[in-house]
Amino acid sequence: AQSVTQPDIHITVSEGASLELRCNYSYGATPYLFWYVQSPGQGLQLLLKYFSGDTLVQGIKGFEAEFKRSQSSFNLRKPSVHWSDAAEYFCAFYNNNDMRFGAGTRLTVKP
Amino acid sequence: DTEVTQTPKHLVMGMTNKKSLKCEQHMGHRAMYWYKQKAKKPPELMFVYSYEKLSINESVPSRFSPECPNSSLLNLHLHALQPEDSALYLCASSQDPTAWGTFGSGTRLTVV
């Protein structure tokens, strides 16, 4: 079955520390992959997307993600977290009119 | 204009009411989407319009009725909703139906 999994429901990091949010997908082929961020009561903002080509994708706000086919993963990273990064992060994949979101990871940033 | 605008931002309606949610974009995007998001859950795709034609209906109950009057507008007509339909309703648009792109801020719907 097609699915996308975010293993971490909640992560807490200190401001200035590095961040990695995990995302794994289950699908026969390589789907389109996305990371979105959502602040409380707000819509979703696209951070970055992977369709094909270079497996290291740069996004907005200093985020990047690396697609690893062998691990079926698309983890999101940021070298230094800012307090304003506290939000809910969703990994998603799309293929052939099927769009699925992971359950989300809530990021808390400690001062 | 690089935004998707949703109105109203908040809506409270009774189970016998009829109301509509509105979504507008002026980016020339030809695909528009409705999502439903319950608290602390990911968004769930409801409908996809591609070139003003309904291309996907994810088995949504008939009390939700989408409408795409033109390429810039997407409506969601609501009738006889249930309290469990209370959620954040998100609209999105994209250049083509790959379901990525720009989301609106949503309409927070409460059914009483």
Side-chain angles (χ1 to χ4, degrees):
Chain A
Q2 303 169 15
S3 65
V4 58
T5 303
Q6 292 180 247
D8 305 305
I9 295 173
H10 183 205
I11 283 183
T12 299
V13 299
S14 297
E15 190 168 15
S18 64
L19 171 71
E20 182 169 31
L21 302 182
R22 295 183 292 166
C23 173
N24 294 96
Y25 69 92
S26 172
Y27 187 69
T30 301
Y32 298 154
L33 296 163
F34 313 89
W35 274 100
Y36 286 92
V37 61
Q38 185 177 34
S39 296
Q42 298 297 311
L44 280 75
Q45 182 179 25
L46 180 67
L47 289 175
L48 47 80
K49 59 187 182 288
Y50 173 77
F51 285 177
S52 64
D54 192 348
T55 56
L56 186 61
V57 181
Q58 301 298 319
I60 63 170
K61 304 185 177 187
F63 285 94
E64 67 176 26
E66 186 172 12
F67 170 66
K68 293 185 178 180
R69 185 189 308 273
S70 61
Q71 299 175 20
S72 296
S73 69
F74 188 57
N75 294 347
L76 182 71
R77 302 193 294 247
K78 186 169 185 177
S80 178
V81 170
H82 188 263
W83 64 266
S84 60
D85 293 324
E88 189 85 19
Y89 290 81
F90 291 100
C91 179
F93 85 65
Y94 174 86
N95 188 71
N96 196 26
N97 289 334
D98 186 4
M99 178 75 164
R100 292 173 189 258
F101 284 84
T105 298
R106 182 162 60 93
L107 175 65
T108 298
V109 180
K110 292 190 303 184
Chain B
D1 187 353
T2 58
E3 291 188 346
V4 173
T5 303
Q6 289 188 245
T7 54
K9 293 195 181 305
H10 300 274
L11 178 64
V12 179
M13 62 184 290
M15 289 188 283
T16 59
N17 291 158
K18 286 185 180 181
K19 297 286 184 184
S20 297
L21 309 184
K22 181 180 173 181
C23 174
E24 193 168 4
Q25 58 88 13
H26 296 287
M27 295 176 280
H29 289 174
R30 302 314 300 266
M32 296 184 76
Y33 317 83
W34 281 115
Y35 288 84
K36 175 183 178 179
Q37 186 179 24
K38 300 285 281 184
K40 301 188 185 301
K41 296 291 186 183
E44 298 175 358
L45 184 64
M46 299 174 72
F47 301 105
V48 179
Y49 271 84
S50 175
Y51 292 86
E52 300 155 51
K53 293 191 188 316
L54 182 64
S55 62
I56 293 179
N57 176 342
E58 291 284 352
S59 302
V60 179
S62 60
R63 57 185 184 269
F64 295 91
S65 175
E67 179 197 18
C68 190
N70 60 56
S71 60
S72 299
L73 280 175
L74 185 66
N75 299 320
L76 186 63
H77 302 299
L78 315 172
H79 174 54
L81 295 194
Q82 302 298 309
E84 59 264 30
D85 296 322
S86 299
L88 180 68
Y89 287 84
L90 294 164
C91 176
S93 71
S94 66
Q95 186 62 33
D96 58 67
T98 57
W100 63 271
T102 306
F103 277 81
S105 298
T107 294
R108 174 98 29 212
L109 174 68
T110 303
V111 182
V112 298

